[in-house]
């Protein structure tokens, strides 16, 4: 079945970087965009950026420009999101999501999330 | 930057109709979608392109979008519908989520 499997929880110190992976299965990885969304504890959803797995083209929210890098390895159907210069405010669950059955401007398949904790 | 505004909370009695609004400048000119999120779970898409239901989403979920407001309507609300709901749209190739609405079924 269609699924996105994300990497495990991470604990990082302020100023460090974290790289989260998202492995796709059950569909053609290069056919659908991958979005990255995060959620701090008790807070709402926050869209971070998207990537076209076919071309590698990316776009991100202005808030994350210069700090987020989205890449992919098409040979293993995996997308990556790297966030640098981590701050305590970056502590959150990070989700990858993609539109498979619905429209291309929505997200109908989500990973289970990767918890990133930033603490000294 | 573009903003979407939702009421923090909405309450509804079982069997009644719940309406959750999402406001944004000329939102009606964009497509809106809605996500349901229960505690400890990933979001689930319940409405896309204003009023389309993904496969597997009950018919009691419907949506509309006009002017500056998109609305998610849940008819015959059930206890299982108690969750947080988020609207989402795109502005200049940037995704935007509303702040979320906690739906309580009393």
């Amino acid at each position: 079945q269609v699924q996105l499997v994300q990497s495990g929880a991470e604990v990082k110190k302020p100023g460090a970087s974290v790289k989260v992976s998202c492995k796709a299965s059950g569909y053609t990885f290069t056919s659908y965009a991958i979005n990255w969304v995060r959620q701090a504890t008790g807070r709402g959803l926050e869209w971070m950026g998207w990537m076209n797995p076919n071309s590698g083209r990316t776009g991100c929210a202005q808030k994350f420009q210069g700090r987020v890098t989205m890449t992919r390895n098409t040979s293993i159907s995996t997308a990556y999101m790297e966030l640098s210069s981590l701050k305590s405010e970056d502590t959150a669950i990070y989700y990858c999501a993609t539109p498979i059955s619905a429209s291309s401007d929505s997200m109908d398949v989500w990973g289970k999330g990767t918890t990133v904790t930033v603490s000294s | 930057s573009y903003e979407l505004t939702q009421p923090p909370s909405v309450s509804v009695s079982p069997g009644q109709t719940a309406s959750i609004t999402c406001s944004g400048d000329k939102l009606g000119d964009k497509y809106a979608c809605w996500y349901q999120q229960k505690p400890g779970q990933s979001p689930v898409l319940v409405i896309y392109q204003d009023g389309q239901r993904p496969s597997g989403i009950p018919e009691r979920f419907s949506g509309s979008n006009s002017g500056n407001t998109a609305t998610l309507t849940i008819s015959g609300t059930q206890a299982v519908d108690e969750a947080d709901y988020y609207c989402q749209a795109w502005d200049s190739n940037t995704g935007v989520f509303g702040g979320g609405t906690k739906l309580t079924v009393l």
Side-chain angles (χ1 to χ4, degrees):
Chain A
Q1 75 279 24
V2 174
Q3 60 178 348
L4 298 173
V5 178
Q6 298 187 226
S7 48
E10 302 262 14
V11 179
K12 296 292 183 180
K13 293 193 182 301
S17 297
V18 67
K19 191 171 186 177
V20 178
S21 68
C22 172
K23 182 173 177 58
S25 62
Y27 73 98
T28 303
F29 174 65
T30 51
S31 294
Y32 303 93
I34 294 284
N35 290 274
W36 290 92
V37 176
R38 76 177 186 179
Q39 185 173 37
T41 302
R43 305 291 296 273
L45 301 174
E46 180 175 30
W47 183 84
M48 298 181 67
W50 68 275
M51 181 187 65
N52 179 323
N54 186 43
S55 65
R57 181 184 170 206
T58 63
C60 71
Q62 188 170 15
K63 173 178 181 177
F64 300 104
Q65 284 179 4
R67 260 204 329 138
V68 70
T69 304
M70 289 167 284
T71 57
R72 88 289 192 210
N73 183 334
T74 57
S75 67
I76 56 172
S77 300
T78 300
Y80 303 92
M81 186 284 297
E82 183 171 21
L83 187 62
S84 62
S85 302
L86 290 170
K87 301 168 265 192
S88 58
E89 308 91 90
D90 294 317
T91 294
I93 298 174
Y94 289 75
Y95 296 100
C96 58
T98 189
I100 300 294
S101 302
S103 60
S104 61
D105 56 0
S106 60
M107 299 170 243
D108 69 333
V109 177
W110 292 68
K112 292 189 182 301
T114 296
T115 298
V116 175
T117 303
V118 182
S119 174
S120 55
Chain B
S1 60
Y2 195 76
E3 293 184 358
L4 294 174
T5 302
Q6 299 180 232
S9 63
V10 168
S11 298
V12 64
S13 299
Q16 298 304 300
T17 296
S19 295
I20 300 173
T21 58
C22 173
S23 299
D25 185 47
K26 298 180 181 177
L27 180 57
D29 292 344
K30 311 175 191 298
Y31 276 133
C33 54
W34 291 89
Y35 300 88
Q36 174 194 71
Q37 187 181 34
K38 297 182 179 179
Q41 297 183 19
S42 300
V44 173
L45 179 70
V46 294
I47 292 290
Y48 67 96
Q49 286 190 341
D50 296 340
Q52 302 300 308
R53 272 181 295 105
S55 175
I57 300 302
E59 290 185 9
R60 63 180 181 274
F61 287 88
S62 63
S64 62
N65 185 14
S66 179
N68 294 322
T69 303
T71 303
L72 173 68
T73 303
I74 309 173
S75 304
T77 307
Q78 301 179 7
V80 70
D81 300 328
E82 186 163 287
D84 294 327
Y85 290 85
Y86 296 90
C87 60
Q88 185 252 315
W90 293 88
D91 179 69
S92 301
N93 292 318
T94 297
V96 181
F97 283 98
T101 298
K102 181 175 181 59
L103 178 67
T104 301
V105 182
L106 320 143

